Amino acid sequence: MAWSGKRATAAAALAALALVGCGDGATSGAEAPGTAAGAVRTATLAMDTKGPALPMETSAGVAQVPVAAIGESVVVAVGGEDGAPQAFERWDPRTGARAPLWQGAAGKQDIVLASSGDWLATVRTGLALPFPEWQLILRNVTTGEARTIARNEGTVADAPDLQPGLPFGFAPKPVMDGATVTWVRNARSAESPVRELRAYALASGSVTTLDTAALAEGDLDTAAAGGGRTAWLRVDAAGQRFVLREADGGQRELPVEGAPFAAALDASGRHLAWDDGLIAKRVLDIETGATSTFATDEGWGMTAAGSRFTWAPAAAYGGAPGYFDAATGVTHILEVREGVRSNYAALLGPWFVWQSAGPRGDGLYHFSWPGQS
């Protein structure tokens, strides 16, 4: 039988979310921000629409969405409806200038999941979960180079003990830190499917396996990278904990309670944040050992840029976009106007991006600079 640990609670909840959209219904018993070690302050972000904005549709009525940052410019995915090839463009929020980057493939989608310098880590999948076939492709937006560094391993997705996760099914969620790409992949072994944590060096093209867990005995999940450090969740008979790997290869373990998933490290590598069972967002100061709760059920998931962390807003359940800045200890929550929906939020380089839609929205992605609102 495959390992079943505490994190299965979060996985089951995410499966339910997939049926109703990006949201979580766990509003009872939510912990207030700042009740853990290290108080967190909260500030309100005004729904200021005076900054740069990207329409949710092009002038031709084709859907577009910002997906990554390269410096201060933004990568925009255009189209892809009904299996048509996506187009990816580079857009400057300050000037509005656009330039083509690459064209996707028909019947596929390119999910842009990480960036570092001129490189993007993208995962090419089919159009419907659980994505048993995938390719991990690195793209250089300056030279146009594309490297396929990993792909699904045969029919490993058919293994009886292997269950897909959300939101990416059997496909990986790579992270980047400097010139290293890290991801968790599923593989076969003689006795049981295994999960492997792998790291790819851009300079040499070499791949290193950092950790392995047989699913009959445990699990690996939610890789994070930043500041020369890599962290991942390991669950086995000894319990659950984050494993922290230093740039010199040294490792230590950080015990964690609850149902952690979707962890992220900030750019300094000092702060590790995660979503705890969809009802709390927590951050650990690795240097002091203090853990704080900086948000509750405003949304789900966790991503980072610079010193800031954000989540996918649970708009259908009253959640709101926002972010936590580990440098200041302040959680910023967007004050969403009545009648406006905001189902999207992201930290793209220096920009905090949020969506306004709905009967009284304007159908835009808004871009704000730190301190602008």
Side-chain angles (χ1 to χ4, degrees), residues 19-56:
L19 301 178
V20 297
C22 293
D24 65 82
T27 55
S28 62
E31 185 178 346
T35 55
V40 171
R41 294 174 288 133
T42 302
T44 299
L45 284 172
M47 200 170 240
D48 182 2
T49 59
K50 293 179 291 187
L54 178 74
M56 292 168 58

Side-chain angles (χ1 to χ4, degrees), residues 182-193:
T182 307
W183 70 98
V184 176
R185 74 159 198 156
N186 301 306
R188 283 192 178 276
S189 71
E191 293 89 20
S192 164

Side-chain angles (χ1 to χ4, degrees), residues 261-331:
F261 74 105
L265 279 163
D266 67 0
S268 73
R270 175 170 177 168
H271 298 98
L272 175 65
W274 63 93
D275 188 333
D276 185 354
L278 307 176
I279 61 171
K281 313 295 178 281
R282 308 197 194 279
V283 61
L284 168 68
D285 184 327
I286 294 170
E287 305 308 317
T288 68
T291 299
S292 303
T293 301
F294 61 84
T296 55
D297 55 358
E298 288 83 4
W300 63 274
M302 190 66 59
T303 56
S307 63
R308 300 181 293 169
F309 298 93
T310 192
W311 54 86
Y317 294 85
Y323 66 87
F324 170 69
D325 192 336
T328 62
V330 177
T331 298

Side-chain angles (χ1 to χ4, degrees), residues 73-92:
S73 63
V74 173
V75 178
V76 178
V78 183
E81 292 91 344
D82 300 321
Q86 296 168 291
F88 291 83
E89 302 177 358
R90 188 169 184 166
W91 175 66
D92 187 332

Side-chain angles (χ1 to χ4, degrees), residues 38-292:
V40 171
R41 294 174 288 133
T42 302
T44 299
L45 284 172
M47 200 170 240
D48 182 2
T49 59
K50 293 179 291 187
L54 178 74
M56 292 168 58
E57 294 184 349
T58 67
S59 58
V62 179
Q64 59 182 355
V65 60
V67 294
I70 299 293
E72 295 180 9
S73 63
V74 173
V75 178
V76 178
V78 183
E81 292 91 344
D82 300 321
Q86 296 168 291
F88 291 83
E89 302 177 358
R90 188 169 184 166
W91 175 66
D92 187 332
R94 295 186 181 277
T95 67
R98 298 180 76 138
L101 289 175
W102 80 92
Q103 192 85 0
K108 301 289 185 180
Q109 60 178 332
D110 288 351
I111 308 171
V112 183
L113 292 170
S115 64
S116 180
D118 292 335
W119 289 93
L120 300 174
T122 70
V123 177
R124 176 166 288 181
T125 71
L127 301 179
L129 283 165
F131 307 145
E133 297 182 357
W134 55 267
Q135 299 175 67
L136 174 50
I137 305 171
L138 303 185
R139 298 184 180 275
N140 188 300
V141 298
T142 299
T143 66
E145 179 185 356
R147 299 185 196 176
T148 300
I149 64 170
R151 62 178 69 241
N152 60 286
E153 184 180 290
T155 58
V156 66
D158 297 331
D161 287 343
L162 188 60
Q163 299 297 320
L166 287 175
F168 302 114
F170 293 113
K173 182 182 181 297
V175 293
M176 298 187 73
D177 181 33
T180 303
V181 186
T182 307
W183 70 98
V184 176
R185 74 159 198 156
N186 301 306
R188 283 192 178 276
S189 71
E191 293 89 20
S192 164
V194 300
R195 283 206 172 97
E196 297 177 338
L197 182 72
R198 292 202 156 189
Y200 174 88
L202 273 166
S204 65
S206 61
V207 177
T208 303
T209 300
L210 303 181
D211 200 359
T212 302
L215 294 187
E217 301 172 354
D219 201 1
L220 300 178
D221 200 7
T222 194
R229 286 171 161 166
T230 305
W232 62 95
L233 183 69
R234 184 176 180 90
V235 187
D236 53 30
Q240 67 175 11
R241 64 276 191 197
F242 285 112
V243 181
L244 183 70
R245 181 182 176 90
E246 304 286 355
D248 62 5
Q251 293 186 181
R252 53 181 160 138
E253 295 185 346
L254 308 170
V256 60
E257 298 181 351
F261 74 105
L265 279 163
D266 67 0
S268 73
R270 175 170 177 168
H271 298 98
L272 175 65
W274 63 93
D275 188 333
D276 185 354
L278 307 176
I279 61 171
K281 313 295 178 281
R282 308 197 194 279
V283 61
L284 168 68
D285 184 327
I286 294 170
E287 305 308 317
T288 68
T291 299
S292 303

